[in-house]
Amino acid sequence: EGGLIPAPTPLPLTHPTSTMAAICAMNIVAKAAVTGKVKVTTGKKYADIKAATQAGLVRGCAPFPDGVDFFGFYNGIDESEAQRYADVEITHGRIAMLSALGFLVGEQVEGSAFLFDSQVTGPAINHFQQVPATFWGLLGAFIFVIECNRVQTAWQNPFEADKLFLLKGDYTPGDYNFDPLKLSAGKDDEWLNDMKLKEVNNGRVAMVAISGMVAQELVNGLNLIPADEVLEMGKAGALEAMEAQCTGSANEAACAKAFEAAERAAVFAGSQ
């Protein structure tokens, strides 16, 4: 489908209603994102989310087959605006998937000699200011190139369009013709549509997940996995003791991992 990364394993259909509600509540996806290329008509409007769903513009998911729009974003929405919402959701979902993966991987390899000479440590939310400015300059340049290509591929010329922030009428949200591994080569529409839906659903989960990761580290100031392990083994008391001992220490990552190992040993000894 030309996405930036292959779609992860699809979400099972047996998830609790509350989980599905959270996934759906992130947003909904326009028809173009799951059924292939369609021609968008600027000026065509829909009364609400239900009307857009019935027209096939929006795709709901269980337990909201008619879509969910708690804040009324789809009340009187223009078809071209719905197309933009779909593209925004897919884009943020992709970024969230990369972010969630980066949080976990970054905290596991921090302190390694190959990673900025072992100078980056502690919770992932504090890695930003520890990374050399040169790295951010190069990353910024890379993002600039990607965004320039994205604008050229998806967006109408603002000097020629009827109004600002309009996508091209025949543009499929999320499709930037980027598929270096040729994963979609020779695949039929059914396969492509299935992969697109898996991608947007996993992107929704990732947006919820990365929000939770950031919130947890802002609250306790500890690496994700050691904090979760200590909480599971020793409950709230152990986590509070870990926070008191490790938060703000010279090497928070090493402290958290040592505390986790000690807690694990204590739990094991107590079970004998």
Side-chain angles (χ1 to χ4, degrees):
E1 177 263 315
L4 293 178
I5 55 175
T9 305
L11 296 170
L13 298 178
T14 55
H15 276 215
T17 298
S18 59
T19 302
M20 292 304 298
I23 295 170
C24 291
M26 290 303 300
N27 209 326
I28 35 65
V29 62
K31 181 179 179 182
V34 295
T35 59
K37 296 183 180 296
V38 298
K39 184 69 174 179
V40 173
T41 304
T42 301
K44 185 175 182 180
K45 294 184 179 293
Y46 295 94
D48 52 26
I49 186 72
K50 185 175 182 179
T53 304
Q54 291 175 345
L57 179 67
V58 170
R59 187 183 183 97
C61 61
F64 303 105
D66 290 329
V68 57
D69 182 20
F70 297 128
F71 300 103
F73 292 123
Y74 269 77
N75 293 343
I77 193 171
D78 186 278
E79 192 171 42
S80 61
E81 186 75 357
Q83 179 198 32
R84 186 166 69 89
Y85 283 179
D87 190 63
V88 167
E89 181 184 28
I90 294 171
T91 301
H92 283 80
R94 289 170 176 170
I95 293 173
M97 286 188 280
L98 289 172
S99 300
L101 180 63
F103 251 59
L104 296 175
V105 173
E107 290 187 353
Q108 294 307 302
V109 302
E110 63 183 27
S112 301
F114 77 92
L115 190 65
F116 305 112
D117 196 27
S118 305
Q119 297 303 305
V120 178
T121 185
I125 56 170
N126 295 330
H127 287 184
F128 181 93
Q129 55 267 41
Q130 299 178 56
V131 175
T134 303
F135 171 82
W136 293 118
L138 294 173
L139 181 60
F142 176 73
I143 294 174
F144 177 79
V145 172
I146 295 296
E147 285 299 298
C148 286
N149 177 71
R150 179 169 173 259
V151 168
Q152 293 295 321
T153 300
W155 296 83
Q156 294 186 34
N157 187 330
F159 298 104
E160 299 176 357
D162 296 333
K163 61 179 181 178
L164 297 177
F165 309 118
L166 287 180
L167 294 170
K168 295 177 180 177
D170 58 352
Y171 165 70
T172 300
D175 187 358
Y176 300 110
N177 299 314
F178 181 81
D179 187 14
L181 300 180
K182 305 298 181 184
L183 298 176
S184 62
K187 299 297 192 299
D188 58 21
D189 288 343
E190 182 179 359
W191 185 90
L192 290 172
N193 293 337
D194 186 46
M195 291 298 105
K196 291 173 183 178
L197 190 56
K198 289 175 181 177
E199 179 183 32
V200 76
N201 277 338
N202 280 278
R204 289 165 176 166
V205 173
M207 285 187 278
V208 175
I210 191 61
S211 298
M213 291 177 182
V214 171
Q216 176 176 318
E217 292 197 348
L218 285 173
V219 170
N220 61 30
L222 299 169
N223 289 35
L224 288 167
I225 294 179
D228 288 347
E229 291 288 342
V230 168
L231 179 62
E232 181 179 354
M233 291 184 293
K235 307 306 178 186
L239 182 59
E240 291 172 359
M242 183 180 181
E243 290 179 31
Q245 179 175 323
C246 299
T247 301
S249 62
N251 192 332
E252 294 180 48
C255 178
K257 291 175 182 177
F259 193 101
E260 178 196 357
E263 185 68 24
R264 190 180 299 278
V267 171
F268 178 77
S271 65
Q272 299 302 307

mmCIF file of all heavy atoms in Angstrom, residues 25-76:
data_model
loop_
_atom_site.group_PDB
_atom_site.id
_atom_site.type_symbol
_atom_site.label_atom_id
_atom_site.label_comp_id
_atom_site.label_asym_id
_atom_site.label_seq_id
_atom_site.Cartn_x
_atom_site.Cartn_y
_atom_site.Cartn_z
ATOM 1 N N ALA A 25 -12.550 5.756 19.152
ATOM 2 C CA ALA A 25 -12.677 7.139 19.574
ATOM 3 C C ALA A 25 -11.518 7.997 19.106
ATOM 4 O O ALA A 25 -11.621 9.215 19.079
ATOM 5 C CB ALA A 25 -12.770 7.219 21.100
ATOM 6 N N MET A 26 -10.407 7.398 18.722
ATOM 7 C CA MET A 26 -9.285 8.182 18.228
ATOM 8 C C MET A 26 -9.656 8.942 16.967
ATOM 9 O O MET A 26 -9.181 10.033 16.716
ATOM 10 C CB MET A 26 -8.094 7.265 17.943
ATOM 11 C CG MET A 26 -7.446 6.700 19.188
ATOM 12 S SD MET A 26 -6.895 7.967 20.314
ATOM 13 C CE MET A 26 -5.739 8.848 19.285
ATOM 14 N N ASN A 27 -10.479 8.341 16.150
ATOM 15 C CA ASN A 27 -10.958 8.976 14.915
ATOM 16 C C ASN A 27 -11.578 7.876 14.079
ATOM 17 O O ASN A 27 -11.654 6.740 14.474
ATOM 18 C CB ASN A 27 -9.824 9.669 14.146
ATOM 19 C CG ASN A 27 -10.324 10.852 13.346
ATOM 20 O OD1 ASN A 27 -11.446 10.814 12.840
ATOM 21 N ND2 ASN A 27 -9.528 11.882 13.229
ATOM 22 N N ILE A 28 -12.018 8.222 12.882
ATOM 23 C CA ILE A 28 -12.524 7.262 11.928
ATOM 24 C C ILE A 28 -11.756 7.442 10.626
ATOM 25 O O ILE A 28 -11.044 8.404 10.453
ATOM 26 C CB ILE A 28 -14.051 7.429 11.706
ATOM 27 C CG1 ILE A 28 -14.443 8.901 11.793
ATOM 28 C CG2 ILE A 28 -14.818 6.658 12.734
ATOM 29 C CD1 ILE A 28 -13.888 9.760 10.762
ATOM 30 N N VAL A 29 -11.890 6.475 9.711
ATOM 31 C CA VAL A 29 -11.087 6.535 8.496
ATOM 32 C C VAL A 29 -11.997 6.732 7.292
ATOM 33 O O VAL A 29 -13.056 6.133 7.196
ATOM 34 C CB VAL A 29 -10.247 5.251 8.339
ATOM 35 C CG1 VAL A 29 -11.104 4.022 8.198
ATOM 36 C CG2 VAL A 29 -9.312 5.360 7.147
ATOM 37 N N ALA A 30 -11.582 7.592 6.386
ATOM 38 C CA ALA A 30 -12.379 7.863 5.197
ATOM 39 C C ALA A 30 -12.360 6.692 4.243
ATOM 40 O O ALA A 30 -11.470 5.854 4.266
ATOM 41 C CB ALA A 30 -11.838 9.106 4.493
ATOM 42 N N LYS A 31 -13.350 6.633 3.369
ATOM 43 C CA LYS A 31 -13.490 5.525 2.436
ATOM 44 C C LYS A 31 -12.245 5.353 1.590
ATOM 45 O O LYS A 31 -11.825 4.238 1.298
ATOM 46 C CB LYS A 31 -14.703 5.763 1.544
ATOM 47 C CG LYS A 31 -14.958 4.651 0.531
ATOM 48 C CD LYS A 31 -16.186 4.959 -0.294
ATOM 49 C CE LYS A 31 -16.429 3.867 -1.335
ATOM 50 N NZ LYS A 31 -17.595 4.173 -2.173
ATOM 51 N N ALA A 32 -11.643 6.449 1.183
ATOM 52 C CA ALA A 32 -10.457 6.358 0.334
ATOM 53 C C ALA A 32 -9.335 5.596 0.997
ATOM 54 O O ALA A 32 -8.507 5.000 0.325
ATOM 55 C CB ALA A 32 -9.966 7.762 -0.033
ATOM 56 N N ALA A 33 -9.277 5.604 2.333
ATOM 57 C CA ALA A 33 -8.177 4.952 3.026
ATOM 58 C C ALA A 33 -8.335 3.444 3.089
ATOM 59 O O ALA A 33 -7.386 2.737 3.377
ATOM 60 C CB ALA A 33 -8.063 5.510 4.444
ATOM 61 N N VAL A 34 -9.516 2.921 2.826
ATOM 62 C CA VAL A 34 -9.716 1.481 2.965
ATOM 63 C C VAL A 34 -10.315 0.822 1.737
ATOM 64 O O VAL A 34 -10.402 -0.397 1.671
ATOM 65 C CB VAL A 34 -10.637 1.171 4.184
ATOM 66 C CG1 VAL A 34 -9.958 1.578 5.468
ATOM 67 C CG2 VAL A 34 -11.963 1.871 4.057
ATOM 68 N N THR A 35 -10.707 1.585 0.761
ATOM 69 C CA THR A 35 -11.338 0.960 -0.400
ATOM 70 C C THR A 35 -10.701 1.366 -1.722
ATOM 71 O O THR A 35 -11.270 1.150 -2.771
ATOM 72 C CB THR A 35 -12.842 1.325 -0.453
ATOM 73 O OG1 THR A 35 -12.960 2.752 -0.524
ATOM 74 C CG2 THR A 35 -13.566 0.810 0.765
ATOM 75 N N GLY A 36 -9.494 1.986 -1.647
ATOM 76 C CA GLY A 36 -8.833 2.347 -2.891
ATOM 77 C C GLY A 36 -9.112 3.777 -3.291
ATOM 78 O O GLY A 36 -9.615 4.580 -2.523
ATOM 79 N N LYS A 37 -8.763 4.155 -4.525
ATOM 80 C CA LYS A 37 -8.856 5.533 -4.981
ATOM 81 C C LYS A 37 -10.301 5.917 -5.299
ATOM 82 O O LYS A 37 -11.010 5.174 -5.946
ATOM 83 C CB LYS A 37 -7.974 5.729 -6.221
ATOM 84 C CG LYS A 37 -6.486 5.535 -5.945
ATOM 85 C CD LYS A 37 -5.671 5.811 -7.188
ATOM 86 C CE LYS A 37 -4.190 5.627 -6.915
ATOM 87 N NZ LYS A 37 -3.679 6.601 -5.937
ATOM 88 N N VAL A 38 -10.696 7.075 -4.805
ATOM 89 C CA VAL A 38 -12.002 7.629 -5.134
ATOM 90 C C VAL A 38 -11.822 9.100 -5.460
ATOM 91 O O VAL A 38 -10.851 9.729 -5.053
ATOM 92 C CB VAL A 38 -13.012 7.486 -3.972
ATOM 93 C CG1 VAL A 38 -13.265 6.039 -3.651
ATOM 94 C CG2 VAL A 38 -12.507 8.222 -2.744
ATOM 95 N N LYS A 39 -12.748 9.673 -6.192
ATOM 96 C CA LYS A 39 -12.709 11.081 -6.545
ATOM 97 C C LYS A 39 -13.477 11.868 -5.504
ATOM 98 O O LYS A 39 -14.666 11.634 -5.276
ATOM 99 C CB LYS A 39 -13.323 11.295 -7.928
ATOM 100 C CG LYS A 39 -13.240 12.744 -8.426
ATOM 101 C CD LYS A 39 -11.820 13.154 -8.736
ATOM 102 C CE LYS A 39 -11.767 14.534 -9.362
ATOM 103 N NZ LYS A 39 -10.384 14.965 -9.642
ATOM 104 N N VAL A 40 -12.780 12.791 -4.823
ATOM 105 C CA VAL A 40 -13.399 13.594 -3.774
ATOM 106 C C VAL A 40 -13.993 14.858 -4.380
ATOM 107 O O VAL A 40 -13.356 15.521 -5.201
ATOM 108 C CB VAL A 40 -12.367 13.959 -2.694
ATOM 109 C CG1 VAL A 40 -12.963 14.930 -1.681
ATOM 110 C CG2 VAL A 40 -11.884 12.699 -1.993
ATOM 111 N N THR A 41 -15.213 15.177 -3.977
ATOM 112 C CA THR A 41 -15.908 16.352 -4.498
ATOM 113 C C THR A 41 -15.927 17.456 -3.455
ATOM 114 O O THR A 41 -16.555 17.321 -2.405
ATOM 115 C CB THR A 41 -17.355 16.001 -4.884
ATOM 116 O OG1 THR A 41 -17.344 14.924 -5.822
ATOM 117 C CG2 THR A 41 -18.048 17.213 -5.489
ATOM 118 N N THR A 42 -15.210 18.543 -3.711
ATOM 119 C CA THR A 42 -15.200 19.673 -2.795
ATOM 120 C C THR A 42 -16.564 20.358 -2.819
ATOM 121 O O THR A 42 -17.129 20.600 -3.880
ATOM 122 C CB THR A 42 -14.119 20.684 -3.197
ATOM 123 O OG1 THR A 42 -12.847 20.029 -3.190
ATOM 124 C CG2 THR A 42 -14.079 21.863 -2.239
ATOM 125 N N GLY A 43 -17.093 20.656 -1.652
ATOM 126 C CA GLY A 43 -18.396 21.312 -1.556
ATOM 127 C C GLY A 43 -19.513 20.365 -1.173
ATOM 128 O O GLY A 43 -20.548 20.809 -0.679
ATOM 129 N N LYS A 44 -19.309 19.075 -1.373
ATOM 130 C CA LYS A 44 -20.317 18.100 -0.970
ATOM 131 C C LYS A 44 -20.248 17.916 0.533
ATOM 132 O O LYS A 44 -19.187 17.689 1.100
ATOM 133 C CB LYS A 44 -20.074 16.766 -1.674
ATOM 134 C CG LYS A 44 -21.147 15.720 -1.394
ATOM 135 C CD LYS A 44 -20.909 14.463 -2.211
ATOM 136 C CE LYS A 44 -21.997 13.419 -1.972
ATOM 137 N NZ LYS A 44 -21.775 12.187 -2.774
ATOM 138 N N LYS A 45 -21.379 18.015 1.214
ATOM 139 C CA LYS A 45 -21.398 17.997 2.675
ATOM 140 C C LYS A 45 -22.257 16.867 3.223
ATOM 141 O O LYS A 45 -23.140 16.356 2.540
ATOM 142 C CB LYS A 45 -21.904 19.343 3.219
ATOM 143 C CG LYS A 45 -20.967 20.517 2.923
ATOM 144 C CD LYS A 45 -21.475 21.793 3.560
ATOM 145 C CE LYS A 45 -20.534 22.951 3.295
ATOM 146 N NZ LYS A 45 -19.240 22.775 3.975
ATOM 147 N N TYR A 46 -21.976 16.517 4.479
ATOM 148 C CA TYR A 46 -22.748 15.507 5.188
ATOM 149 C C TYR A 46 -23.211 16.088 6.514
ATOM 150 O O TYR A 46 -22.473 16.831 7.170
ATOM 151 C CB TYR A 46 -21.910 14.248 5.417
ATOM 152 C CG TYR A 46 -21.539 13.555 4.125
ATOM 153 C CD1 TYR A 46 -20.330 13.835 3.501
ATOM 154 C CD2 TYR A 46 -22.404 12.651 3.526
ATOM 155 C CE1 TYR A 46 -19.995 13.224 2.310
ATOM 156 C CE2 TYR A 46 -22.078 12.037 2.330
ATOM 157 C CZ TYR A 46 -20.876 12.323 1.723
ATOM 158 O OH TYR A 46 -20.551 11.728 0.535
ATOM 159 N N ALA A 47 -24.436 15.740 6.905
ATOM 160 C CA ALA A 47 -25.042 16.324 8.097
ATOM 161 C C ALA A 47 -24.299 15.930 9.367
ATOM 162 O O ALA A 47 -24.098 16.750 10.267
ATOM 163 C CB ALA A 47 -26.507 15.911 8.201
ATOM 164 N N ASP A 48 -23.888 14.653 9.445
ATOM 165 C CA ASP A 48 -23.197 14.174 10.637
ATOM 166 C C ASP A 48 -22.434 12.895 10.302
ATOM 167 O O ASP A 48 -22.382 12.476 9.155
ATOM 168 C CB ASP A 48 -24.185 13.922 11.786
ATOM 169 C CG ASP A 48 -25.352 13.022 11.364
ATOM 170 O OD1 ASP A 48 -25.173 12.205 10.413
ATOM 171 O OD2 ASP A 48 -26.435 13.123 11.964
ATOM 172 N N ILE A 49 -21.868 12.291 11.330
ATOM 173 C CA ILE A 49 -21.045 11.093 11.139
ATOM 174 C C ILE A 49 -21.865 9.933 10.582
ATOM 175 O O ILE A 49 -21.389 9.159 9.753
ATOM 176 C CB ILE A 49 -20.376 10.680 12.478
ATOM 177 C CG1 ILE A 49 -19.399 9.525 12.263
ATOM 178 C CG2 ILE A 49 -21.397 10.324 13.521
ATOM 179 C CD1 ILE A 49 -18.141 9.899 11.545
ATOM 180 N N LYS A 50 -23.107 9.819 10.993
ATOM 181 C CA LYS A 50 -23.951 8.721 10.525
ATOM 182 C C LYS A 50 -24.219 8.849 9.031
ATOM 183 O O LYS A 50 -24.167 7.856 8.294
ATOM 184 C CB LYS A 50 -25.276 8.697 11.301
ATOM 185 C CG LYS A 50 -26.158 7.519 10.948
ATOM 186 C CD LYS A 50 -27.398 7.469 11.842
ATOM 187 C CE LYS A 50 -28.251 6.259 11.502
ATOM 188 N NZ LYS A 50 -29.454 6.178 12.380
ATOM 189 N N ALA A 51 -24.501 10.080 8.570
ATOM 190 C CA ALA A 51 -24.744 10.296 7.143
ATOM 191 C C ALA A 51 -23.500 9.991 6.323
ATOM 192 O O ALA A 51 -23.580 9.395 5.245
ATOM 193 C CB ALA A 51 -25.186 11.739 6.913
ATOM 194 N N ALA A 52 -22.341 10.380 6.838
ATOM 195 C CA ALA A 52 -21.093 10.102 6.125
ATOM 196 C C ALA A 52 -20.816 8.612 6.069
ATOM 197 O O ALA A 52 -20.330 8.084 5.061
ATOM 198 C CB ALA A 52 -19.939 10.832 6.804
ATOM 199 N N THR A 53 -21.162 7.898 7.140
ATOM 200 C CA THR A 53 -20.960 6.446 7.170
ATOM 201 C C THR A 53 -21.891 5.747 6.191
ATOM 202 O O THR A 53 -21.487 4.842 5.457
ATOM 203 C CB THR A 53 -21.193 5.900 8.594
ATOM 204 O OG1 THR A 53 -20.333 6.581 9.502
ATOM 205 C CG2 THR A 53 -20.919 4.411 8.659
ATOM 206 N N GLN A 54 -23.143 6.154 6.175
ATOM 207 C CA GLN A 54 -24.122 5.548 5.272
ATOM 208 C C GLN A 54 -23.755 5.791 3.808
ATOM 209 O O GLN A 54 -24.045 4.961 2.948
ATOM 210 C CB GLN A 54 -25.514 6.089 5.574
ATOM 211 C CG GLN A 54 -26.069 5.633 6.916
ATOM 212 C CD GLN A 54 -27.406 6.267 7.250
ATOM 213 O OE1 GLN A 54 -27.825 7.251 6.632
ATOM 214 N NE2 GLN A 54 -28.104 5.712 8.241
ATOM 215 N N ALA A 55 -23.098 6.927 3.540
ATOM 216 C CA ALA A 55 -22.692 7.235 2.166
ATOM 217 C C ALA A 55 -21.424 6.499 1.760
ATOM 218 O O ALA A 55 -21.030 6.521 0.597
ATOM 219 C CB ALA A 55 -22.485 8.739 2.023
ATOM 220 N N GLY A 56 -20.794 5.829 2.729
ATOM 221 C CA GLY A 56 -19.569 5.096 2.424
ATOM 222 C C GLY A 56 -18.308 5.927 2.541
ATOM 223 O O GLY A 56 -17.216 5.440 2.272
ATOM 224 N N LEU A 57 -18.435 7.180 2.974
ATOM 225 C CA LEU A 57 -17.266 8.037 3.113
ATOM 226 C C LEU A 57 -16.454 7.668 4.340
ATOM 227 O O LEU A 57 -15.236 7.747 4.351
ATOM 228 C CB LEU A 57 -17.706 9.500 3.212
ATOM 229 C CG LEU A 57 -16.599 10.544 3.396
ATOM 230 C CD1 LEU A 57 -15.737 10.618 2.143
ATOM 231 C CD2 LEU A 57 -17.181 11.903 3.725
ATOM 232 N N VAL A 58 -17.151 7.239 5.392
ATOM 233 C CA VAL A 58 -16.529 6.917 6.667
ATOM 234 C C VAL A 58 -16.779 5.454 6.989
ATOM 235 O O VAL A 58 -17.841 4.917 6.672
ATOM 236 C CB VAL A 58 -17.106 7.817 7.786
ATOM 237 C CG1 VAL A 58 -16.657 7.342 9.154
ATOM 238 C CG2 VAL A 58 -16.701 9.251 7.543
ATOM 239 N N ARG A 59 -15.816 4.826 7.612
ATOM 240 C CA ARG A 59 -15.952 3.428 7.997
ATOM 241 C C ARG A 59 -15.934 3.325 9.517
ATOM 242 O O ARG A 59 -14.956 3.737 10.154
ATOM 243 C CB ARG A 59 -14.807 2.600 7.409
ATOM 244 C CG ARG A 59 -14.945 1.099 7.621
ATOM 245 C CD ARG A 59 -13.718 0.393 7.065
ATOM 246 N NE ARG A 59 -13.831 -1.056 7.178
ATOM 247 C CZ ARG A 59 -14.235 -1.852 6.217
ATOM 248 N NH1 ARG A 59 -14.574 -1.341 5.047
ATOM 249 N NH2 ARG A 59 -14.296 -3.161 6.381
ATOM 250 N N GLY A 60 -16.994 2.826 10.105
ATOM 251 C CA GLY A 60 -17.030 2.620 11.544
ATOM 252 C C GLY A 60 -16.449 1.260 11.897
ATOM 253 O O GLY A 60 -16.109 0.469 11.030
ATOM 254 N N CYS A 61 -16.308 0.993 13.177
ATOM 255 C CA CYS A 61 -15.849 -0.331 13.617
ATOM 256 C C CYS A 61 -16.579 -0.675 14.909
ATOM 257 O O CYS A 61 -17.003 0.216 15.640
ATOM 258 C CB CYS A 61 -14.337 -0.353 13.810
ATOM 259 S SG CYS A 61 -13.702 0.775 15.057
ATOM 260 N N ALA A 62 -16.734 -1.966 15.170
ATOM 261 C CA ALA A 62 -17.480 -2.426 16.332
ATOM 262 C C ALA A 62 -16.871 -1.844 17.607
ATOM 263 O O ALA A 62 -15.655 -1.752 17.720
ATOM 264 C CB ALA A 62 -17.446 -3.945 16.385
ATOM 265 N N PRO A 63 -17.688 -1.423 18.555
ATOM 266 C CA PRO A 63 -19.145 -1.534 18.608
ATOM 267 C C PRO A 63 -19.868 -0.294 18.085
ATOM 268 O O PRO A 63 -20.978 -0.002 18.504
ATOM 269 C CB PRO A 63 -19.405 -1.699 20.102
ATOM 270 C CG PRO A 63 -18.343 -0.838 20.727
ATOM 271 C CD PRO A 63 -17.137 -0.946 19.836
ATOM 272 N N PHE A 64 -19.227 0.458 17.166
ATOM 273 C CA PHE A 64 -19.831 1.664 16.604
ATOM 274 C C PHE A 64 -19.908 1.540 15.077
ATOM 275 O O PHE A 64 -19.120 2.171 14.362
ATOM 276 C CB PHE A 64 -19.025 2.904 16.979
ATOM 277 C CG PHE A 64 -18.849 3.093 18.453
ATOM 278 C CD1 PHE A 64 -17.640 2.817 19.062
ATOM 279 C CD2 PHE A 64 -19.901 3.539 19.234
ATOM 280 C CE1 PHE A 64 -17.470 2.994 20.424
ATOM 281 C CE2 PHE A 64 -19.744 3.722 20.609
ATOM 282 C CZ PHE A 64 -18.524 3.441 21.204
ATOM 283 N N PRO A 65 -20.827 0.734 14.563
ATOM 284 C CA PRO A 65 -20.898 0.536 13.107
ATOM 285 C C PRO A 65 -21.228 1.805 12.331
ATOM 286 O O PRO A 65 -20.908 1.901 11.144
ATOM 287 C CB PRO A 65 -22.003 -0.518 12.951
ATOM 288 C CG PRO A 65 -22.843 -0.393 14.197
ATOM 289 C CD PRO A 65 -21.863 -0.049 15.280
ATOM 290 N N ASP A 66 -21.853 2.788 13.004
ATOM 291 C CA ASP A 66 -22.175 4.054 12.337
ATOM 292 C C ASP A 66 -21.133 5.128 12.607
ATOM 293 O O ASP A 66 -21.354 6.312 12.352
ATOM 294 C CB ASP A 66 -23.554 4.561 12.795
ATOM 295 C CG ASP A 66 -24.683 3.701 12.267
ATOM 296 O OD1 ASP A 66 -24.524 3.141 11.162
ATOM 297 O OD2 ASP A 66 -25.709 3.581 12.955
ATOM 298 N N GLY A 67 -19.976 4.714 13.126
ATOM 299 C CA GLY A 67 -18.925 5.671 13.424
ATOM 300 C C GLY A 67 -19.139 6.317 14.781
ATOM 301 O O GLY A 67 -20.204 6.191 15.392
ATOM 302 N N VAL A 68 -18.121 7.006 15.272
ATOM 303 C CA VAL A 68 -18.215 7.685 16.563
ATOM 304 C C VAL A 68 -17.578 9.063 16.416
ATOM 305 O O VAL A 68 -16.492 9.212 15.871
ATOM 306 C CB VAL A 68 -17.535 6.871 17.680
ATOM 307 C CG1 VAL A 68 -16.074 6.589 17.360
ATOM 308 C CG2 VAL A 68 -17.645 7.575 19.017
ATOM 309 N N ASP A 69 -18.292 10.081 16.895
ATOM 310 C CA ASP A 69 -17.827 11.457 16.745
ATOM 311 C C ASP A 69 -18.338 12.257 17.940
ATOM 312 O O ASP A 69 -19.276 13.032 17.828
ATOM 313 C CB ASP A 69 -18.342 12.036 15.424
ATOM 314 C CG ASP A 69 -17.856 13.452 15.165
ATOM 315 O OD1 ASP A 69 -16.851 13.854 15.774
ATOM 316 O OD2 ASP A 69 -18.478 14.152 14.354
ATOM 317 N N PHE A 70 -17.688 12.059 19.086
ATOM 318 C CA PHE A 70 -18.156 12.659 20.334
ATOM 319 C C PHE A 70 -18.128 14.193 20.307
ATOM 320 O O PHE A 70 -18.893 14.836 21.009
ATOM 321 C CB PHE A 70 -17.307 12.164 21.508
ATOM 322 C CG PHE A 70 -17.411 10.686 21.747
ATOM 323 C CD1 PHE A 70 -16.269 9.906 21.834
ATOM 324 C CD2 PHE A 70 -18.653 10.075 21.874
ATOM 325 C CE1 PHE A 70 -16.359 8.541 22.057
ATOM 326 C CE2 PHE A 70 -18.753 8.709 22.103
ATOM 327 C CZ PHE A 70 -17.607 7.934 22.193
ATOM 328 N N PHE A 71 -17.227 14.771 19.513
ATOM 329 C CA PHE A 71 -17.048 16.217 19.538
ATOM 330 C C PHE A 71 -17.657 16.932 18.336
ATOM 331 O O PHE A 71 -17.473 18.127 18.152
ATOM 332 C CB PHE A 71 -15.556 16.549 19.635
ATOM 333 C CG PHE A 71 -14.907 15.983 20.869
ATOM 334 C CD1 PHE A 71 -14.113 14.857 20.790
ATOM 335 C CD2 PHE A 71 -15.113 16.568 22.101
ATOM 336 C CE1 PHE A 71 -13.518 14.326 21.922
ATOM 337 C CE2 PHE A 71 -14.518 16.049 23.246
ATOM 338 C CZ PHE A 71 -13.721 14.922 23.157
ATOM 339 N N GLY A 72 -18.392 16.196 17.503
ATOM 340 C CA GLY A 72 -19.117 16.821 16.408
ATOM 341 C C GLY A 72 -18.272 17.328 15.262
ATOM 342 O O GLY A 72 -18.675 18.228 14.526
ATOM 343 N N PHE A 73 -17.077 16.737 15.065
ATOM 344 C CA PHE A 73 -16.220 17.175 13.968
ATOM 345 C C PHE A 73 -16.869 16.941 12.600
ATOM 346 O O PHE A 73 -16.562 17.643 11.634
ATOM 347 C CB PHE A 73 -14.876 16.441 14.017
ATOM 348 C CG PHE A 73 -14.017 16.821 15.184
ATOM 349 C CD1 PHE A 73 -13.572 15.866 16.090
ATOM 350 C CD2 PHE A 73 -13.670 18.140 15.399
ATOM 351 C CE1 PHE A 73 -12.789 16.222 17.164
ATOM 352 C CE2 PHE A 73 -12.882 18.508 16.477
ATOM 353 C CZ PHE A 73 -12.438 17.546 17.368
ATOM 354 N N TYR A 74 -17.767 15.947 12.521
ATOM 355 C CA TYR A 74 -18.367 15.598 11.234
ATOM 356 C C TYR A 74 -19.721 16.261 11.011
ATOM 357 O O TYR A 74 -20.380 15.985 10.017
ATOM 358 C CB TYR A 74 -18.487 14.073 11.106
ATOM 359 C CG TYR A 74 -17.263 13.464 10.467
ATOM 360 C CD1 TYR A 74 -16.107 13.290 11.193
ATOM 361 C CD2 TYR A 74 -17.258 13.086 9.125
ATOM 362 C CE1 TYR A 74 -14.969 12.764 10.626
ATOM 363 C CE2 TYR A 74 -16.128 12.548 8.536
ATOM 364 C CZ TYR A 74 -14.993 12.395 9.285
ATOM 365 O OH TYR A 74 -13.864 11.873 8.699
ATOM 366 N N ASN A 75 -20.148 17.121 11.888
ATOM 367 C CA ASN A 75 -21.414 17.823 11.681
ATOM 368 C C ASN A 75 -21.250 18.838 10.558
ATOM 369 O O ASN A 75 -20.497 19.811 10.684
ATOM 370 C CB ASN A 75 -21.858 18.519 12.965
ATOM 371 C CG ASN A 75 -22.214 17.527 14.061
ATOM 372 O OD1 ASN A 75 -22.441 16.342 13.792
ATOM 373 N ND2 ASN A 75 -22.252 17.995 15.298
ATOM 374 N N GLY A 76 -21.946 18.601 9.439
ATOM 375 C CA GLY A 76 -21.861 19.496 8.295
ATOM 376 C C GLY A 76 -20.507 19.492 7.603
ATOM 377 O O GLY A 76 -20.126 20.482 6.989
#
